[in-house]
PDB file of all heavy atoms in Angstrom:
ATOM      1  N   SER B   1     -32.154  40.936  -0.045  1.00  0.00           N
ATOM      2  CA  SER B   1     -32.376  39.728  -0.930  1.00  0.00           C
ATOM      3  C   SER B   1     -32.437  38.469  -0.042  1.00  0.00           C
ATOM      4  O   SER B   1     -31.952  38.406   1.059  1.00  0.00           O
ATOM      5  CB  SER B   1     -31.297  39.691  -1.978  1.00  0.00           C
ATOM      6  OG  SER B   1     -30.074  39.256  -1.393  1.00  0.00           O
ATOM      7  N   GLY B   2     -33.019  37.477  -0.682  1.00  0.00           N
ATOM      8  CA  GLY B   2     -33.091  36.188   0.010  1.00  0.00           C
ATOM      9  C   GLY B   2     -31.655  35.631   0.294  1.00  0.00           C
ATOM     10  O   GLY B   2     -31.476  35.053   1.303  1.00  0.00           O
ATOM     11  N   ASP B   3     -30.751  35.828  -0.609  1.00  0.00           N
ATOM     12  CA  ASP B   3     -29.420  35.354  -0.505  1.00  0.00           C
ATOM     13  C   ASP B   3     -28.688  36.091   0.583  1.00  0.00           C
ATOM     14  O   ASP B   3     -27.834  35.469   1.295  1.00  0.00           O
ATOM     15  CB  ASP B   3     -28.609  35.502  -1.811  1.00  0.00           C
ATOM     16  CG  ASP B   3     -28.870  34.434  -2.782  1.00  0.00           C
ATOM     17  OD1 ASP B   3     -29.616  33.490  -2.460  1.00  0.00           O
ATOM     18  OD2 ASP B   3     -28.486  34.562  -3.970  1.00  0.00           O
ATOM     19  N   GLU B   4     -28.943  37.318   0.857  1.00  0.00           N
ATOM     20  CA  GLU B   4     -28.314  38.093   1.945  1.00  0.00           C
ATOM     21  C   GLU B   4     -28.688  37.457   3.294  1.00  0.00           C
ATOM     22  O   GLU B   4     -27.845  37.252   4.126  1.00  0.00           O
ATOM     23  CB  GLU B   4     -28.628  39.512   1.885  1.00  0.00           C
ATOM     24  CG  GLU B   4     -27.958  40.340   0.842  1.00  0.00           C
ATOM     25  CD  GLU B   4     -28.353  41.773   0.813  1.00  0.00           C
ATOM     26  OE1 GLU B   4     -29.521  42.096   0.701  1.00  0.00           O
ATOM     27  OE2 GLU B   4     -27.421  42.590   0.892  1.00  0.00           O
ATOM     28  N   VAL B   5     -29.975  37.211   3.480  1.00  0.00           N
ATOM     29  CA  VAL B   5     -30.425  36.628   4.672  1.00  0.00           C
ATOM     30  C   VAL B   5     -29.882  35.175   4.939  1.00  0.00           C
ATOM     31  O   VAL B   5     -29.440  34.744   5.934  1.00  0.00           O
ATOM     32  CB  VAL B   5     -32.002  36.634   4.775  1.00  0.00           C
ATOM     33  CG1 VAL B   5     -32.484  36.096   6.104  1.00  0.00           C
ATOM     34  CG2 VAL B   5     -32.475  38.069   4.576  1.00  0.00           C
ATOM     35  N   LYS B   6     -29.923  34.471   3.757  1.00  0.00           N
ATOM     36  CA  LYS B   6     -29.426  33.106   3.810  1.00  0.00           C
ATOM     37  C   LYS B   6     -27.916  33.092   4.184  1.00  0.00           C
ATOM     38  O   LYS B   6     -27.450  32.205   4.915  1.00  0.00           O
ATOM     39  CB  LYS B   6     -29.603  32.363   2.447  1.00  0.00           C
ATOM     40  CG  LYS B   6     -29.310  30.958   2.442  1.00  0.00           C
ATOM     41  CD  LYS B   6     -29.644  30.297   1.089  1.00  0.00           C
ATOM     42  CE  LYS B   6     -29.472  28.742   1.158  1.00  0.00           C
ATOM     43  NZ  LYS B   6     -29.767  28.172  -0.161  1.00  0.00           N
ATOM     44  N   ALA B   7     -27.132  34.114   3.665  1.00  0.00           N
ATOM     45  CA  ALA B   7     -25.744  34.181   3.979  1.00  0.00           C
ATOM     46  C   ALA B   7     -25.561  34.325   5.483  1.00  0.00           C
ATOM     47  O   ALA B   7     -24.575  33.730   6.075  1.00  0.00           O
ATOM     48  CB  ALA B   7     -25.114  35.321   3.306  1.00  0.00           C
ATOM     49  N   PHE B   8     -26.409  35.023   6.164  1.00  0.00           N
ATOM     50  CA  PHE B   8     -26.350  35.193   7.614  1.00  0.00           C
ATOM     51  C   PHE B   8     -26.576  33.889   8.307  1.00  0.00           C
ATOM     52  O   PHE B   8     -25.805  33.467   9.188  1.00  0.00           O
ATOM     53  CB  PHE B   8     -27.300  36.290   8.158  1.00  0.00           C
ATOM     54  CG  PHE B   8     -27.535  36.163   9.576  1.00  0.00           C
ATOM     55  CD1 PHE B   8     -26.559  36.491  10.557  1.00  0.00           C
ATOM     56  CD2 PHE B   8     -28.785  35.652  10.081  1.00  0.00           C
ATOM     57  CE1 PHE B   8     -26.710  36.414  11.899  1.00  0.00           C
ATOM     58  CE2 PHE B   8     -28.956  35.617  11.492  1.00  0.00           C
ATOM     59  CZ  PHE B   8     -27.988  35.943  12.393  1.00  0.00           C
ATOM     60  N   TYR B   9     -27.614  33.152   7.878  1.00  0.00           N
ATOM     61  CA  TYR B   9     -27.924  31.885   8.579  1.00  0.00           C
ATOM     62  C   TYR B   9     -26.857  30.840   8.288  1.00  0.00           C
ATOM     63  O   TYR B   9     -26.550  29.953   9.170  1.00  0.00           O
ATOM     64  CB  TYR B   9     -29.282  31.435   8.155  1.00  0.00           C
ATOM     65  CG  TYR B   9     -30.378  32.116   8.928  1.00  0.00           C
ATOM     66  CD1 TYR B   9     -31.258  33.034   8.277  1.00  0.00           C
ATOM     67  CD2 TYR B   9     -30.562  31.903  10.248  1.00  0.00           C
ATOM     68  CE1 TYR B   9     -32.248  33.718   9.032  1.00  0.00           C
ATOM     69  CE2 TYR B   9     -31.518  32.625  11.024  1.00  0.00           C
ATOM     70  CZ  TYR B   9     -32.339  33.472  10.342  1.00  0.00           C
ATOM     71  OH  TYR B   9     -33.378  34.120  11.124  1.00  0.00           O
ATOM     72  N   VAL B  10     -26.309  30.794   7.089  1.00  0.00           N
ATOM     73  CA  VAL B  10     -25.211  29.846   6.774  1.00  0.00           C
ATOM     74  C   VAL B  10     -24.030  30.165   7.710  1.00  0.00           C
ATOM     75  O   VAL B  10     -23.378  29.257   8.234  1.00  0.00           O
ATOM     76  CB  VAL B  10     -24.841  30.020   5.253  1.00  0.00           C
ATOM     77  CG1 VAL B  10     -23.506  29.214   4.998  1.00  0.00           C
ATOM     78  CG2 VAL B  10     -25.907  29.361   4.404  1.00  0.00           C
ATOM     79  N   TYR B  11     -23.664  31.478   7.843  1.00  0.00           N
ATOM     80  CA  TYR B  11     -22.593  31.852   8.664  1.00  0.00           C
ATOM     81  C   TYR B  11     -22.836  31.447  10.097  1.00  0.00           C
ATOM     82  O   TYR B  11     -21.981  30.877  10.867  1.00  0.00           O
ATOM     83  CB  TYR B  11     -22.336  33.326   8.670  1.00  0.00           C
ATOM     84  CG  TYR B  11     -21.257  33.892   9.572  1.00  0.00           C
ATOM     85  CD1 TYR B  11     -19.974  33.516   9.389  1.00  0.00           C
ATOM     86  CD2 TYR B  11     -21.698  34.713  10.674  1.00  0.00           C
ATOM     87  CE1 TYR B  11     -18.969  34.072  10.273  1.00  0.00           C
ATOM     88  CE2 TYR B  11     -20.669  35.184  11.529  1.00  0.00           C
ATOM     89  CZ  TYR B  11     -19.368  34.834  11.320  1.00  0.00           C
ATOM     90  OH  TYR B  11     -18.363  35.301  12.137  1.00  0.00           O
ATOM     91  N   ALA B  12     -24.079  31.706  10.608  1.00  0.00           N
ATOM     92  CA  ALA B  12     -24.462  31.340  12.004  1.00  0.00           C
ATOM     93  C   ALA B  12     -24.240  29.851  12.249  1.00  0.00           C
ATOM     94  O   ALA B  12     -23.722  29.427  13.239  1.00  0.00           O
ATOM     95  CB  ALA B  12     -25.834  31.856  12.313  1.00  0.00           C
ATOM     96  N   ALA B  13     -24.793  29.031  11.249  1.00  0.00           N
ATOM     97  CA  ALA B  13     -24.656  27.588  11.353  1.00  0.00           C
ATOM     98  C   ALA B  13     -23.206  27.174  11.389  1.00  0.00           C
ATOM     99  O   ALA B  13     -22.805  26.255  12.114  1.00  0.00           O
ATOM    100  CB  ALA B  13     -25.400  26.960  10.195  1.00  0.00           C
ATOM    101  N   GLY B  14     -22.388  27.839  10.532  1.00  0.00           N
ATOM    102  CA  GLY B  14     -20.920  27.531  10.527  1.00  0.00           C
ATOM    103  C   GLY B  14     -20.242  27.735  11.813  1.00  0.00           C
ATOM    104  O   GLY B  14     -19.427  26.971  12.257  1.00  0.00           O
ATOM    105  N   VAL B  15     -20.580  28.894  12.451  1.00  0.00           N
ATOM    106  CA  VAL B  15     -19.935  29.232  13.727  1.00  0.00           C
ATOM    107  C   VAL B  15     -20.417  28.258  14.798  1.00  0.00           C
ATOM    108  O   VAL B  15     -19.632  27.740  15.640  1.00  0.00           O
ATOM    109  CB  VAL B  15     -20.302  30.670  14.154  1.00  0.00           C
ATOM    110  CG1 VAL B  15     -19.892  31.013  15.572  1.00  0.00           C
ATOM    111  CG2 VAL B  15     -19.678  31.655  13.181  1.00  0.00           C
ATOM    112  N   ILE B  16     -21.628  27.864  14.786  1.00  0.00           N
ATOM    113  CA  ILE B  16     -22.126  26.937  15.843  1.00  0.00           C
ATOM    114  C   ILE B  16     -21.562  25.587  15.602  1.00  0.00           C
ATOM    115  O   ILE B  16     -21.223  24.905  16.598  1.00  0.00           O
ATOM    116  CB  ILE B  16     -23.682  26.951  15.796  1.00  0.00           C
ATOM    117  CG1 ILE B  16     -24.218  28.315  16.317  1.00  0.00           C
ATOM    118  CG2 ILE B  16     -24.223  25.795  16.676  1.00  0.00           C
ATOM    119  CD1 ILE B  16     -25.705  28.468  16.102  1.00  0.00           C
ATOM    120  N   ALA B  17     -21.614  25.158  14.330  1.00  0.00           N
ATOM    121  CA  ALA B  17     -21.045  23.770  14.042  1.00  0.00           C
ATOM    122  C   ALA B  17     -19.588  23.632  14.409  1.00  0.00           C
ATOM    123  O   ALA B  17     -19.102  22.609  14.743  1.00  0.00           O
ATOM    124  CB  ALA B  17     -21.337  23.509  12.564  1.00  0.00           C
ATOM    125  N   ASN B  18     -18.824  24.664  14.145  1.00  0.00           N
ATOM    126  CA  ASN B  18     -17.355  24.684  14.409  1.00  0.00           C
ATOM    127  C   ASN B  18     -16.916  25.221  15.766  1.00  0.00           C
ATOM    128  O   ASN B  18     -15.776  25.267  16.102  1.00  0.00           O
ATOM    129  CB  ASN B  18     -16.681  25.470  13.350  1.00  0.00           C
ATOM    130  CG  ASN B  18     -16.692  24.804  11.956  1.00  0.00           C
ATOM    131  OD1 ASN B  18     -15.979  23.951  11.646  1.00  0.00           O
ATOM    132  ND2 ASN B  18     -17.633  25.309  11.127  1.00  0.00           N
ATOM    133  N   SER B  19     -17.845  25.543  16.570  1.00  0.00           N
ATOM    134  CA  SER B  19     -17.662  26.045  17.940  1.00  0.00           C
ATOM    135  C   SER B  19     -16.707  27.293  17.863  1.00  0.00           C
ATOM    136  O   SER B  19     -15.789  27.395  18.646  1.00  0.00           O
ATOM    137  CB  SER B  19     -17.037  25.026  18.882  1.00  0.00           C
ATOM    138  OG  SER B  19     -18.021  23.991  19.198  1.00  0.00           O
ATOM    139  N   GLY B  20     -17.062  28.137  16.910  1.00  0.00           N
ATOM    140  CA  GLY B  20     -16.192  29.391  16.803  1.00  0.00           C
ATOM    141  C   GLY B  20     -16.135  29.651  15.331  1.00  0.00           C
ATOM    142  O   GLY B  20     -16.650  29.072  14.407  1.00  0.00           O
ATOM    143  N   ASN B  21     -15.472  30.854  15.068  1.00  0.00           N
ATOM    144  CA  ASN B  21     -15.396  31.429  13.746  1.00  0.00           C
ATOM    145  C   ASN B  21     -14.081  30.979  13.018  1.00  0.00           C
ATOM    146  O   ASN B  21     -13.656  31.666  12.096  1.00  0.00           O
ATOM    147  CB  ASN B  21     -15.516  32.931  13.718  1.00  0.00           C
ATOM    148  CG  ASN B  21     -14.377  33.566  14.549  1.00  0.00           C
ATOM    149  OD1 ASN B  21     -13.783  33.012  15.478  1.00  0.00           O
ATOM    150  ND2 ASN B  21     -14.102  34.895  14.242  1.00  0.00           N
ATOM    151  N   TYR B  22     -13.531  29.887  13.417  1.00  0.00           N
ATOM    152  CA  TYR B  22     -12.497  29.142  12.633  1.00  0.00           C
ATOM    153  C   TYR B  22     -12.912  27.730  12.438  1.00  0.00           C
ATOM    154  O   TYR B  22     -13.407  27.124  13.368  1.00  0.00           O
ATOM    155  CB  TYR B  22     -11.171  29.226  13.423  1.00  0.00           C
ATOM    156  CG  TYR B  22     -10.497  30.642  13.439  1.00  0.00           C
ATOM    157  CD1 TYR B  22     -10.914  31.660  14.251  1.00  0.00           C
ATOM    158  CD2 TYR B  22      -9.477  30.921  12.548  1.00  0.00           C
ATOM    159  CE1 TYR B  22     -10.429  32.858  14.189  1.00  0.00           C
ATOM    160  CE2 TYR B  22      -8.891  32.181  12.493  1.00  0.00           C
ATOM    161  CZ  TYR B  22      -9.360  33.185  13.341  1.00  0.00           C
ATOM    162  OH  TYR B  22      -8.815  34.412  13.290  1.00  0.00           O
ATOM    163  N   LYS B  23     -12.586  27.234  11.220  1.00  0.00           N
ATOM    164  CA  LYS B  23     -13.162  25.803  10.949  1.00  0.00           C
ATOM    165  C   LYS B  23     -12.442  24.765  11.850  1.00  0.00           C
ATOM    166  O   LYS B  23     -11.210  24.868  12.172  1.00  0.00           O
ATOM    167  CB  LYS B  23     -12.707  25.470   9.514  1.00  0.00           C
ATOM    168  CG  LYS B  23     -13.630  26.305   8.479  1.00  0.00           C
ATOM    169  CD  LYS B  23     -13.301  25.810   7.059  1.00  0.00           C
ATOM    170  CE  LYS B  23     -14.090  26.599   6.023  1.00  0.00           C
ATOM    171  NZ  LYS B  23     -13.665  26.204   4.619  1.00  0.00           N
ATOM    172  N   GLY B  24     -13.239  23.909  12.341  1.00  0.00           N
ATOM    173  CA  GLY B  24     -12.703  22.798  13.102  1.00  0.00           C
ATOM    174  C   GLY B  24     -11.804  21.847  12.339  1.00  0.00           C
ATOM    175  O   GLY B  24     -10.955  21.289  12.949  1.00  0.00           O
ATOM    176  N   PHE B  25     -12.102  21.765  11.090  1.00  0.00           N
ATOM    177  CA  PHE B  25     -11.195  20.944  10.198  1.00  0.00           C
ATOM    178  C   PHE B  25     -10.503  21.858   9.248  1.00  0.00           C
ATOM    179  O   PHE B  25     -11.124  22.374   8.240  1.00  0.00           O
ATOM    180  CB  PHE B  25     -12.033  19.913   9.464  1.00  0.00           C
ATOM    181  CG  PHE B  25     -11.246  18.805   8.830  1.00  0.00           C
ATOM    182  CD1 PHE B  25     -10.998  17.652   9.360  1.00  0.00           C
ATOM    183  CD2 PHE B  25     -10.741  19.116   7.532  1.00  0.00           C
ATOM    184  CE1 PHE B  25     -10.286  16.650   8.765  1.00  0.00           C
ATOM    185  CE2 PHE B  25     -10.000  18.141   6.887  1.00  0.00           C
ATOM    186  CZ  PHE B  25      -9.745  16.922   7.471  1.00  0.00           C
ATOM    187  N   GLY B  26      -9.316  22.284   9.511  1.00  0.00           N
ATOM    188  CA  GLY B  26      -8.547  23.190   8.626  1.00  0.00           C
ATOM    189  C   GLY B  26      -8.144  24.477   9.334  1.00  0.00           C
ATOM    190  O   GLY B  26      -7.192  25.092   8.863  1.00  0.00           O
ATOM    191  N   ASP B  27      -8.811  24.893  10.397  1.00  0.00           N
ATOM    192  CA  ASP B  27      -8.426  26.017  11.240  1.00  0.00           C
ATOM    193  C   ASP B  27      -8.373  27.323  10.531  1.00  0.00           C
ATOM    194  O   ASP B  27      -7.793  28.290  11.027  1.00  0.00           O
ATOM    195  CB  ASP B  27      -7.119  25.832  11.876  1.00  0.00           C
ATOM    196  CG  ASP B  27      -6.985  24.614  12.804  1.00  0.00           C
ATOM    197  OD1 ASP B  27      -8.106  24.206  13.272  1.00  0.00           O
ATOM    198  OD2 ASP B  27      -5.973  24.151  13.154  1.00  0.00           O
ATOM    199  N   THR B  28      -9.060  27.471   9.392  1.00  0.00           N
ATOM    200  CA  THR B  28      -9.154  28.780   8.741  1.00  0.00           C
ATOM    201  C   THR B  28     -10.370  29.569   9.173  1.00  0.00           C
ATOM    202  O   THR B  28     -11.392  29.046   9.544  1.00  0.00           O
ATOM    203  CB  THR B  28      -9.188  28.593   7.193  1.00  0.00           C
ATOM    204  OG1 THR B  28     -10.246  27.742   6.819  1.00  0.00           O
ATOM    205  CG2 THR B  28      -7.795  28.037   6.615  1.00  0.00           C
ATOM    206  N   LYS B  29     -10.208  30.861   9.043  1.00  0.00           N
ATOM    207  CA  LYS B  29     -11.275  31.741   9.618  1.00  0.00           C
ATOM    208  C   LYS B  29     -12.553  31.672   8.598  1.00  0.00           C
ATOM    209  O   LYS B  29     -12.428  31.588   7.358  1.00  0.00           O
ATOM    210  CB  LYS B  29     -10.789  33.193   9.670  1.00  0.00           C
ATOM    211  CG  LYS B  29     -11.756  34.083  10.473  1.00  0.00           C
ATOM    212  CD  LYS B  29     -11.110  35.404  10.695  1.00  0.00           C
ATOM    213  CE  LYS B  29     -11.984  36.285  11.661  1.00  0.00           C
ATOM    214  NZ  LYS B  29     -11.352  37.580  12.023  1.00  0.00           N
ATOM    215  N   ILE B  30     -13.679  31.830   9.288  1.00  0.00           N
ATOM    216  CA  ILE B  30     -14.992  31.898   8.575  1.00  0.00           C
ATOM    217  C   ILE B  30     -15.495  33.394   8.752  1.00  0.00           C
ATOM    218  O   ILE B  30     -15.481  33.831   9.921  1.00  0.00           O
ATOM    219  CB  ILE B  30     -16.066  30.915   9.108  1.00  0.00           C
ATOM    220  CG1 ILE B  30     -15.417  29.488   9.185  1.00  0.00           C
ATOM    221  CG2 ILE B  30     -17.337  31.017   8.319  1.00  0.00           C
ATOM    222  CD1 ILE B  30     -16.339  28.592  10.026  1.00  0.00           C
ATOM    223  N   ILE B  31     -15.841  33.964   7.607  1.00  0.00           N
ATOM    224  CA  ILE B  31     -16.477  35.391   7.682  1.00  0.00           C
ATOM    225  C   ILE B  31     -17.815  35.261   6.967  1.00  0.00           C
ATOM    226  O   ILE B  31     -18.033  34.441   6.175  1.00  0.00           O
ATOM    227  CB  ILE B  31     -15.527  36.449   7.138  1.00  0.00           C
ATOM    228  CG1 ILE B  31     -15.407  36.203   5.589  1.00  0.00           C
ATOM    229  CG2 ILE B  31     -14.262  36.481   7.770  1.00  0.00           C
ATOM    230  CD1 ILE B  31     -14.699  37.458   4.890  1.00  0.00           C
ATOM    231  N   PRO B  32     -18.701  36.248   7.344  1.00  0.00           N
ATOM    232  CA  PRO B  32     -20.026  36.219   6.684  1.00  0.00           C
ATOM    233  C   PRO B  32     -19.922  36.657   5.226  1.00  0.00           C
ATOM    234  O   PRO B  32     -19.071  37.466   4.871  1.00  0.00           O
ATOM    235  CB  PRO B  32     -20.762  37.250   7.467  1.00  0.00           C
ATOM    236  CG  PRO B  32     -20.017  37.485   8.754  1.00  0.00           C
ATOM    237  CD  PRO B  32     -18.598  37.229   8.350  1.00  0.00           C
ATOM    238  N   ASP B  33     -20.710  35.989   4.383  1.00  0.00           N
ATOM    239  CA  ASP B  33     -20.686  36.358   2.919  1.00  0.00           C
ATOM    240  C   ASP B  33     -21.806  37.427   2.715  1.00  0.00           C
ATOM    241  O   ASP B  33     -22.690  37.327   1.793  1.00  0.00           O
ATOM    242  CB  ASP B  33     -21.104  35.055   2.162  1.00  0.00           C
ATOM    243  CG  ASP B  33     -20.815  35.270   0.654  1.00  0.00           C
ATOM    244  OD1 ASP B  33     -20.132  36.301   0.304  1.00  0.00           O
ATOM    245  OD2 ASP B  33     -21.300  34.467  -0.160  1.00  0.00           O
ATOM    246  N   ILE B  34     -21.638  38.492   3.502  1.00  0.00           N
ATOM    247  CA  ILE B  34     -22.554  39.642   3.390  1.00  0.00           C
ATOM    248  C   ILE B  34     -21.768  40.863   3.915  1.00  0.00           C
ATOM    249  O   ILE B  34     -21.009  40.763   4.921  1.00  0.00           O
ATOM    250  CB  ILE B  34     -23.878  39.437   4.161  1.00  0.00           C
ATOM    251  CG1 ILE B  34     -24.755  40.675   4.123  1.00  0.00           C
ATOM    252  CG2 ILE B  34     -23.628  39.038   5.602  1.00  0.00           C
ATOM    253  CD1 ILE B  34     -26.120  40.515   4.846  1.00  0.00           C
ATOM    254  N   ASP B  35     -21.915  42.022   3.292  1.00  0.00           N
ATOM    255  CA  ASP B  35     -21.166  43.154   3.588  1.00  0.00           C
ATOM    256  C   ASP B  35     -21.444  43.605   5.086  1.00  0.00           C
ATOM    257  O   ASP B  35     -22.557  43.419   5.570  1.00  0.00           O
ATOM    258  CB  ASP B  35     -21.628  44.363   2.710  1.00  0.00           C
ATOM    259  CG  ASP B  35     -20.893  45.651   2.966  1.00  0.00           C
ATOM    260  OD1 ASP B  35     -19.802  45.792   2.543  1.00  0.00           O
ATOM    261  OD2 ASP B  35     -21.524  46.439   3.728  1.00  0.00           O
ATOM    262  N   PRO B  36     -20.332  44.009   5.798  1.00  0.00           N
ATOM    263  CA  PRO B  36     -20.504  44.351   7.205  1.00  0.00           C
ATOM    264  C   PRO B  36     -21.699  45.335   7.474  1.00  0.00           C
ATOM    265  O   PRO B  36     -22.433  45.134   8.469  1.00  0.00           O
ATOM    266  CB  PRO B  36     -19.187  44.938   7.529  1.00  0.00           C
ATOM    267  CG  PRO B  36     -18.209  44.386   6.624  1.00  0.00           C
ATOM    268  CD  PRO B  36     -19.023  44.227   5.350  1.00  0.00           C
ATOM    269  N   ASN B  37     -21.846  46.440   6.783  1.00  0.00           N
ATOM    270  CA  ASN B  37     -22.853  47.338   7.025  1.00  0.00           C
ATOM    271  C   ASN B  37     -24.266  46.719   6.753  1.00  0.00           C
ATOM    272  O   ASN B  37     -25.233  47.021   7.506  1.00  0.00           O
ATOM    273  CB  ASN B  37     -22.744  48.515   6.049  1.00  0.00           C
ATOM    274  CG  ASN B  37     -21.475  49.396   6.443  1.00  0.00           C
ATOM    275  OD1 ASN B  37     -21.020  49.400   7.649  1.00  0.00           O
ATOM    276  ND2 ASN B  37     -20.911  50.022   5.463  1.00  0.00           N
ATOM    277  N   ARG B  38     -24.361  45.905   5.730  1.00  0.00           N
ATOM    278  CA  ARG B  38     -25.636  45.175   5.491  1.00  0.00           C
ATOM    279  C   ARG B  38     -25.966  44.177   6.615  1.00  0.00           C
ATOM    280  O   ARG B  38     -27.100  44.072   6.993  1.00  0.00           O
ATOM    281  CB  ARG B  38     -25.592  44.435   4.136  1.00  0.00           C
ATOM    282  CG  ARG B  38     -25.519  45.384   2.955  1.00  0.00           C
ATOM    283  CD  ARG B  38     -26.835  46.138   2.739  1.00  0.00           C
ATOM    284  NE  ARG B  38     -27.796  45.343   2.082  1.00  0.00           N
ATOM    285  CZ  ARG B  38     -29.052  45.689   1.897  1.00  0.00           C
ATOM    286  NH1 ARG B  38     -29.454  46.916   2.410  1.00  0.00           N
ATOM    287  NH2 ARG B  38     -29.952  44.961   1.342  1.00  0.00           N
ATOM    288  N   LEU B  39     -25.007  43.494   7.144  1.00  0.00           N
ATOM    289  CA  LEU B  39     -25.200  42.598   8.201  1.00  0.00           C
ATOM    290  C   LEU B  39     -25.715  43.366   9.432  1.00  0.00           C
ATOM    291  O   LEU B  39     -26.616  42.934  10.148  1.00  0.00           O
ATOM    292  CB  LEU B  39     -23.980  41.780   8.534  1.00  0.00           C
ATOM    293  CG  LEU B  39     -24.121  40.748   9.721  1.00  0.00           C
ATOM    294  CD1 LEU B  39     -25.267  39.820   9.499  1.00  0.00           C
ATOM    295  CD2 LEU B  39     -22.862  39.959   9.857  1.00  0.00           C
ATOM    296  N   GLU B  40     -25.111  44.545   9.716  1.00  0.00           N
ATOM    297  CA  GLU B  40     -25.498  45.300  10.879  1.00  0.00           C
ATOM    298  C   GLU B  40     -26.971  45.731  10.684  1.00  0.00           C
ATOM    299  O   GLU B  40     -27.817  45.708  11.632  1.00  0.00           O
ATOM    300  CB  GLU B  40     -24.646  46.510  11.034  1.00  0.00           C
ATOM    301  CG  GLU B  40     -25.015  47.352  12.277  1.00  0.00           C
ATOM    302  CD  GLU B  40     -23.955  48.439  12.523  1.00  0.00           C
ATOM    303  OE1 GLU B  40     -22.721  48.209  12.347  1.00  0.00           O
ATOM    304  OE2 GLU B  40     -24.347  49.535  13.015  1.00  0.00           O
ATOM    305  N   GLN B  41     -27.337  46.220   9.497  1.00  0.00           N
ATOM    306  CA  GLN B  41     -28.752  46.608   9.175  1.00  0.00           C
ATOM    307  C   GLN B  41     -29.672  45.448   9.397  1.00  0.00           C
ATOM    308  O   GLN B  41     -30.810  45.534   9.890  1.00  0.00           O
ATOM    309  CB  GLN B  41     -28.827  47.158   7.796  1.00  0.00           C
ATOM    310  CG  GLN B  41     -28.061  48.475   7.614  1.00  0.00           C
ATOM    311  CD  GLN B  41     -27.919  48.788   6.098  1.00  0.00           C
ATOM    312  OE1 GLN B  41     -28.675  48.316   5.240  1.00  0.00           O
ATOM    313  NE2 GLN B  41     -27.028  49.722   5.806  1.00  0.00           N
ATOM    314  N   LEU B  42     -29.238  44.259   8.943  1.00  0.00           N
ATOM    315  CA  LEU B  42     -30.016  43.050   9.048  1.00  0.00           C
ATOM    316  C   LEU B  42     -30.273  42.691  10.559  1.00  0.00           C
ATOM    317  O   LEU B  42     -31.422  42.438  11.012  1.00  0.00           O
ATOM    318  CB  LEU B  42     -29.461  41.826   8.332  1.00  0.00           C
ATOM    319  CG  LEU B  42     -30.146  40.511   8.445  1.00  0.00           C
ATOM    320  CD1 LEU B  42     -31.539  40.560   7.902  1.00  0.00           C
ATOM    321  CD2 LEU B  42     -29.328  39.404   7.779  1.00  0.00           C
ATOM    322  N   LEU B  43     -29.221  42.720  11.321  1.00  0.00           N
ATOM    323  CA  LEU B  43     -29.323  42.429  12.760  1.00  0.00           C
ATOM    324  C   LEU B  43     -30.162  43.442  13.437  1.00  0.00           C
ATOM    325  O   LEU B  43     -30.898  43.077  14.423  1.00  0.00           O
ATOM    326  CB  LEU B  43     -27.894  42.345  13.389  1.00  0.00           C
ATOM    327  CG  LEU B  43     -27.006  41.249  12.982  1.00  0.00           C
ATOM    328  CD1 LEU B  43     -25.581  41.414  13.546  1.00  0.00           C
ATOM    329  CD2 LEU B  43     -27.561  39.837  13.331  1.00  0.00           C
ATOM    330  N   SER B  44     -30.119  44.681  13.004  1.00  0.00           N
ATOM    331  CA  SER B  44     -30.973  45.647  13.714  1.00  0.00           C
ATOM    332  C   SER B  44     -32.482  45.471  13.461  1.00  0.00           C
ATOM    333  O   SER B  44     -33.281  46.026  14.223  1.00  0.00           O
ATOM    334  CB  SER B  44     -30.614  47.138  13.111  1.00  0.00           C
ATOM    335  OG  SER B  44     -30.993  47.253  11.817  1.00  0.00           O
ATOM    336  N   LEU B  45     -32.824  44.632  12.583  1.00  0.00           N
ATOM    337  CA  LEU B  45     -34.247  44.309  12.260  1.00  0.00           C
ATOM    338  C   LEU B  45     -34.709  43.200  13.291  1.00  0.00           C
ATOM    339  O   LEU B  45     -35.960  42.956  13.394  1.00  0.00           O
ATOM    340  CB  LEU B  45     -34.433  43.771  10.894  1.00  0.00           C
ATOM    341  CG  LEU B  45     -34.148  44.807   9.746  1.00  0.00           C
ATOM    342  CD1 LEU B  45     -34.303  44.165   8.384  1.00  0.00           C
ATOM    343  CD2 LEU B  45     -35.040  46.011   9.834  1.00  0.00           C
TER     344      LEU B  45
END
């Protein structure tokens, strides 16, 4: 779905903007809003 692909790009932008997978303001972890198996399948494309 379009939302699944968008979830990947939102996560990617979050990691790049925060220089890592924890928020620069708040220090809480960021995880992708897409199932791990689905993300792996998406990356394999």
Side-chain angles (χ1 to χ4, degrees):
S1 69
D3 280 352
E4 285 180 305
V5 183
K6 189 174 183 180
F8 163 68
Y9 280 111
V10 167
Y11 175 69
V15 170
I16 293 169
N18 290 279
S19 291
N21 61 335
Y22 287 77
K23 290 182 180 179
F25 193 95
D27 294 347
T28 53
K29 190 170 186 175
I30 309 167
I31 65 171
D33 193 15
I34 177 175
D35 181 80
N37 292 330
R38 293 291 282 172
L39 179 53
E40 181 170 327
Q41 293 167 18
L42 177 62
L43 292 173
S44 70
L45 298 174

